[in-house]
Amino acid sequence: TIEANGLQVVAPSLMTKPSSKVENQTYFEAAGYADPLELMRTTFAVKEISQTNPIIAESNRIQIVLQSTVELASSVKMTVSGLEGLMLPDGQVALTQSSDVLFCNQGGMPGYGDWQQTHSMLVLSVCNGIKMEAGRVYTFAFEFQNGQYVQDSPR
């Protein structure tokens, strides 16, 4: 609210917040995050994982879809964990990305992540000089060979 008193009086009135605009809103304005003192937890608004083939001993592809609520600067490290049963040797994993190359491995190689078999996780970073935009959906995938035994999906 704003008002003025003195020689001239301006009656109290509500101030306009970015979320009340109708046109040309940014992701943050539309969600209300540009409004004063609107606080949010940093998170991935979208975080989906799927596979293309559930048959044992056949080729498979894991696809991951992400949308961050905040901009992630270059060299931010991310891990995709809980991939027990996925058998790949430790080291670089080629990533297929839906848009321009966004992710790099820990050595800075664009279009790759690092697989850590002992921890069943993929480690990747936002490439140097690139930012993961808030509100934008990013998709990447990698291929591997399914194991020899039936298993339930890890939680």
Side-chain angles (χ1 to χ4, degrees):
T1 306
I2 188 162
E3 64 182 284
N5 293 305
L7 292 175
Q8 295 178 318
V9 175
V10 177
S13 61
L14 293 176
M15 298 175 79
T16 303
K17 297 178 184 178
S19 64
S20 65
K21 294 189 316 184
V22 177
E23 296 179 12
N24 301 321
Q25 288 185 320
T26 67
Y27 169 77
F28 283 114
E29 290 169 338
Y33 296 132
D35 292 353
L37 301 173
E38 180 77 27
L39 305 178
M40 63 183 262
R41 184 177 304 268
T42 303
T43 188
F44 287 104
V46 174
K47 48 192 178 293
E48 300 170 357
I49 187 167
S50 61
Q51 70 177 357
T52 58
N53 186 357
I55 307 301
I56 60 172
E58 291 192 8
S59 295
N60 200 352
R61 178 183 176 97
I62 295 283
Q63 178 174 288
I64 297 170
V65 181
L66 298 173
Q67 179 188 44
S68 178
T69 59
V70 296
E71 181 179 275
L72 298 177
S74 59
S75 69
V76 166
K77 177 180 163 183
M78 290 181 265
T79 58
V80 179
S81 58
L83 299 172
E84 288 84 8
L86 194 155
M87 300 302 291
L88 280 173
D90 284 334
Q92 291 183 14
V93 175
L95 304 176
T96 304
Q97 300 183 52
S98 63
S99 56
D100 297 333
V101 174
L102 173 70
F103 298 112
C104 290
N105 68 4
Q106 295 300 288
M109 175 91 54
Y112 288 86
D114 289 315
W115 177 251
Q116 296 180 2
Q117 183 62 42
T118 55
H119 300 293
S120 299
M121 71 181 181
L122 180 67
V123 181
L124 50 145
S125 297
V126 176
C127 293
N128 286 329
I130 299 176
K131 295 179 181 176
M132 184 174 184
E133 298 172 26
R136 182 174 171 188
V137 175
Y138 294 90
T139 302
F140 67 95
F142 61 97
E143 297 183 7
F144 63 98
Q145 191 77 15
N146 282 337
Q148 298 292 322
Y149 305 100
V150 172
Q151 71 175 43
D152 291 332
S153 178
R155 298 221 177 254

